[in-house]
Amino acid sequence: MVELAHHEIFDEAAFKRVRLGMGLLMTAVDIPLVWMGEEFGEYKPKTIESAKIDWSLLGNDANRNLFEYVKGLTALRQQNRALQTVNMDFFHENAEDHVLAYGRWNEEGSRVVVVANFSDQYRAGYALANFPANGTWHEWGHDYDVSVEDNCLVTDLAEYEAKVFVWQP
């Protein structure tokens, strides 16, 4: 939040970007490291000096929503074996649209796909070819199912959004 403020990005715009970052961090390979309070939008600069977390921020809707999102992603990491491996494949990179997608999986058949829109543009009906598997996928953050056919997912992507799709075999 501090770095975003240095770039004059505040309020909802800042929370969108932090949520995007947390979606990527919590679905990446290895153990995610979160600085004190980042999981709910603490905005104090990082320091080696003693500092207390401002827990009262959890009384704000935006901070509470971010906290619940990170809490849910933490539970997903613990429950979904695909997020506990080093298996990762970047199958979609579109530099022009600023969209990136990667898949995580394990040998027992668990799969997770993350689709991230790093732009300030809403991407309606965005098509992702070479999607890792056909079938039913559950979009975790917004709680709905989509069907993938011909290894192509079509989805809407809000600006600065990461969608997390969990395969439902």
Side-chain angles (χ1 to χ4, degrees), residues 81-109:
R81 307 272 300 163
L83 297 175
Q84 299 170 18
T85 70
V86 295
N87 300 331
M88 182 178 227
D89 178 38
F90 288 88
F91 66 90
H92 182 87
E93 298 175 38
N94 184 328
E96 184 177 316
D97 287 341
H98 304 284
V99 175
L100 174 73
Y102 58 87
R104 303 280 315 276
W105 71 95
N106 75 349
E107 285 68 27
E108 290 86 38

Side-chain angles (χ1 to χ4, degrees), residues 9 17 20 22-24 47 65 72-73 79 82 91 98 109 112 122-124 126 129 134 152 159:
I9 301 170
R17 286 166 175 85
L20 167 63
M22 285 295 184
L24 298 171
T47 177
N65 290 340
L73 284 170
Q79 296 163 1
F91 66 90
H98 304 284
V112 173
Y122 184 86
R123 306 277 182 217
Y126 192 86
N134 291 321
C152 184
E159 47 285 317

Side-chain angles (χ1 to χ4, degrees), residues 34 90 117-118:
V34 179
F90 288 88
N117 179 7
F118 292 92

Side-chain angles (χ1 to χ4, degrees), residues 34-166:
V34 179
W35 187 257
M36 303 179 306
E38 279 183 332
E39 69 275 19
F40 59 86
E42 174 70 86
Y43 52 87
K44 291 180 184 166
K46 294 177 183 169
T47 177
I48 60 170
E49 303 300 319
S50 179
K52 293 188 182 228
I53 294 175
D54 185 359
W55 293 104
S56 69
L57 291 172
L58 288 171
N60 302 326
D61 287 344
N63 298 88
R64 170 58 69 183
N65 290 340
L66 178 59
F67 177 75
E68 293 300 329
Y69 179 71
V70 174
K71 182 177 162 184
L73 284 170
T74 302
L76 181 64
R77 278 187 71 87
Q78 292 172 339
Q79 296 163 1
N80 192 297
R81 307 272 300 163
L83 297 175
Q84 299 170 18
T85 70
V86 295
N87 300 331
M88 182 178 227
D89 178 38
F90 288 88
F91 66 90
H92 182 87
E93 298 175 38
N94 184 328
E96 184 177 316
D97 287 341
H98 304 284
V99 175
L100 174 73
Y102 58 87
R104 303 280 315 276
W105 71 95
N106 75 349
E107 285 68 27
E108 290 86 38
S110 294
R111 291 180 176 270
V112 173
V113 166
V114 178
V115 181
N117 179 7
F118 292 92
S119 79
D120 61 357
Q121 301 295 310
Y122 184 86
R123 306 277 182 217
Y126 192 86
L128 291 124
N130 304 315
F131 207 78
N134 291 321
T136 302
W137 290 77
H138 182 76
E139 201 291 316
W140 176 84
H142 299 287
D143 195 24
Y144 65 89
D145 290 341
V146 296
S147 181
V148 173
E149 297 176 3
D150 300 322
N151 293 94
C152 184
L153 170 74
V154 177
T155 190
D156 295 337
L157 295 169
E159 47 285 317
Y160 302 109
E161 177 181 47
K163 285 190 170 182
V164 179
F165 294 93
V166 179

Side-chain angles (χ1 to χ4, degrees), residues 1-11 13-14 17:
M1 285 298 211
V2 172
E3 286 93 21
L4 291 169
H6 288 313
H7 294 283
E8 297 186 14
I9 301 170
F10 303 101
D11 302 322
R17 286 166 175 85

